[in-house]
Every structure is written in C-alpha cells, then in structure tokens.
Amino acid sequence: MDVHILLHFYFVGLFFYGLFLVIAIAKQKQELIHRTATLLLLLHVVCLALSQGAVGWRIWVCSLLALGSYELSQQYQIGVAKSVVISVGLFCAAFCVQPSLLQNPTWLEVMILPASISTIVIAVVPKAILQKTPYLVAVIGFFLIPCALLLMGLANLDLGFVLTPLVLIQFNDSFSYLSGKGFGKTQLFPNISPNKTLEGYVLGSSGIILALVLLHTYIPVIHTNLSQDIALFVGVFILGNAGDLIFSCLKRKLDTKDFGKLLPGHGGVLDRFDSILFIAPFLYCMASHRLL
C-alpha cells in the first residue's frame, strides 16, 4: 500500500476520533470517552498491521478470527482451555492458507454461501436450540471463517481495498451512534437492539456518503462511477446495519449483552467488528469483478 494513502487514512481517523474525544470529554460522556479512546487505540494497531503489507493484514484478520471465536466459545461455556485451543488452532489454520487460494475469486466466492446460510440460521433458529454446542461450530465454521478468508482475500486483490470496509463501516457506525444518541426516538427493533432508531439509521447514512467522498479523494483507493457508488452505499447501508442486527439477535438468544470485555465502550471483538465481517462477502464480490 502507498505509504501516503495509509498516512491519509491515519490522519482522517485521528482527526475524527480526536474530535469525538474532545466533545465527549467536554460533555463528560464516559461511555463515549471509553468508546472513542478504544477506537484511537485500534486505529494505531490497524495502521501498524497495514504498514507490514499483506502479511500484516493477514495477522490482523487471523487475530480477529481467533479472538472472536474465543469470545463466542465462552458464551457456550465450553471452558477456557478448549476455547484457547479453538482460537489458536483457527489462527494457525487461517494464517497458513495458501496465498494462491486467496487470489482465486471463484474459490473464495463459494464461501459466501455458508456465510449466508449461517445468518439465516441465527435469525430463525429458536433460542433453546441455538444455545446448543453444535451451533457454535456452525457459526464459527459457516460465518467467521468464510468472512475472515474473504477479508484476507481483499488484500490479495489489492491491499488498498482493505481500507474500504474500514472507512465505510466506521463512518456509518460512528454517525449512526452519535445520531441515535442525540436524536434517536423511533425504535425499530426494540426486542433485538433497543438502541437502534430510525433517526440514527437515516442520519447515520450521511457517514457513508462522506466516507465515499474520502475514498475517492483524500484516501483514493476506489475508482467507482456514480452507479457503483450507489451500489456501495446501498450495500453498506443494508449489510453493515444487518450485520450488527444479526449479531445482536445472536446475543439475545445467548442471553448476553456483549460477547466480551476486551474493548472498553464496545464490548468484545465481535461487538466491534461484526459489521466488517458481515460486509466482507459483498465487498469481495465487487472487488473481484473489478467494480471498485
């Protein structure tokens, strides 16, 4: 990746997170302070990973897979030792996937089918059944692993493409969060995610538009036309928010508020990166068919 593009990505994140942190401190909003401070830390970690090229991104994605699997395993209470074995095994297995496979769009696009099936399973399977251990294997095997491979595949197509989900999802999430906190009144999914409001979704979509502008100009990693930009906007708006809802549904069925406590203000790794994982198949398809 061009070092200038990475620096521009870093400066954009530093500016917005720094601004949010100042506002949070001024208004003494502890939750927002913790949330933004965590995002600032993650910004530095992600930039460090990307500075190491495709290998650094692979390590980062494999770490998300391992930590997410550990968090999910703990929700099924299978024991710390077994959870560690699962997470370490998945990290090693994913890291050792041959680069040639990650450069094969046909092979990777097959991964979209199990990922799609797993989301349907989470949504429709009754709570009492979903809490059984075989469904832990299903969620990890049919969702986390395919989406992680597709995220790694983005870097093999073009390392710059990995900035696309990071920027689009983060702007969507941040603007939706702030809009929902400030103006949200109309609950859309009170039984799944009571904090999600119509106002937050609508006003939050402006973050996607700003992100697209930045990805064309200051962080120029995509080269789409207007129709492709519209497709990106619609895809991120629908799938980015759907990813959050699907995992909120999973948390409700597992009787937990957050998957973990690793990231203050967010919860666990899956609480923070669920939408990025969920949108990976969509963005990989666009990138592999030269629509980015």
Side-chain angles (χ1 to χ4, degrees):
M1 181 186 298
D2 189 318
V3 65
H4 294 96
I5 292 178
L6 183 57
L7 282 173
H8 287 185
F9 168 75
Y10 173 73
F11 289 141
V12 167
L14 201 61
F15 172 77
F16 280 100
Y17 294 155
L19 178 62
F20 294 161
L21 187 59
V22 169
I23 294 173
I25 293 173
K27 294 188 175 183
Q28 298 183 335
K29 302 287 187 180
Q30 289 300 316
E31 181 184 0
L32 185 56
I33 291 173
H34 293 154
R35 186 181 181 89
T36 309
T38 299
L39 289 173
L40 277 168
L41 176 61
L42 288 173
L43 172 67
H44 288 82
V45 175
V46 169
C47 287
L48 177 62
L50 289 173
S51 69
Q52 304 306 306
V55 173
W57 179 249
R58 177 180 289 210
I59 292 173
W60 170 247
V61 174
C62 289
S63 299
L64 294 183
L65 172 62
L67 291 169
S69 299
Y70 176 84
E71 291 175 350
L72 198 57
S73 299
Q74 287 296 285
Q75 299 303 321
Y76 283 82
Q77 301 182 1
I78 66 169
V80 173
K82 290 182 180 178
S83 298
V84 170
V85 170
I86 290 172
S87 61
V88 172
L90 286 174
F91 180 96
C92 295
F95 186 78
C96 292
V97 172
Q98 292 296 319
S100 59
L101 291 177
L102 296 175
Q103 292 175 331
N104 187 330
T106 302
W107 182 82
L108 276 180
E109 285 176 1
V110 172
M111 297 289 100
I112 297 173
L113 179 60
S116 302
I117 293 174
S118 67
T119 61
I120 297 172
V121 168
I122 292 171
V124 304
V125 169
K127 174 180 175 179
I129 298 178
L130 193 66
Q131 290 180 348
K132 296 182 182 299
T133 304
Y135 283 90
L136 166 65
V137 179
V139 175
I140 292 176
F142 292 150
F143 180 80
L144 293 186
I145 292 175
C147 289
L149 292 176
L150 288 161
L151 266 182
M152 287 192 287
L154 270 178
N156 283 79
L157 293 175
D158 187 324
L159 189 58
F161 286 154
V162 303
L163 296 181
T164 306
L166 294 175
V167 175
L168 288 170
I169 292 298
Q170 193 50 59
F171 270 74
N172 182 44
D173 286 355
S174 296
F175 277 60
S176 295
Y177 176 83
L178 294 174
S179 300
K181 288 290 184 181
F183 309 102
K185 294 180 181 179
T186 310
Q187 290 183 326
L188 293 175
F189 312 99
N191 295 326
I192 299 176
S193 187
N195 293 326
K196 299 295 185 293
T197 64
L198 176 62
E199 294 81 5
Y201 277 130
V202 173
L203 295 175
S205 65
S206 62
I208 304 176
I209 297 173
L210 177 56
L212 285 171
V213 172
L214 288 170
L215 289 170
H216 275 289
T217 55
Y218 192 64
I219 315 173
V221 293
I222 61 174
H223 308 283
T224 50
N225 56 37
L226 180 59
S227 61
Q228 291 164 344
D229 283 337
I230 293 173
L232 265 177
F233 174 86
V234 173
V236 172
F237 181 75
I238 294 176
L239 296 176
N241 292 317
D244 186 55
L245 284 174
I246 286 293
F247 273 77
S248 292
C249 179
L250 179 59
K251 285 187 285 187
R252 295 296 175 269
K253 291 184 178 182
L254 294 177
D255 295 321
T256 186
K257 181 179 181 295
D258 295 314
F259 285 113
K261 299 180 180 179
L262 182 63
L263 304 176
H266 300 271
V269 169
L270 288 180
D271 295 293
R272 175 63 266 164
F273 294 101
D274 51 3
S275 295
I276 290 177
L277 287 167
F278 197 83
I279 203 172
F282 169 70
L283 289 179
Y284 184 85
C285 280
M286 289 200 69
S288 65
H289 292 286
R290 300 180 181 180
L291 298 177
L292 288 183

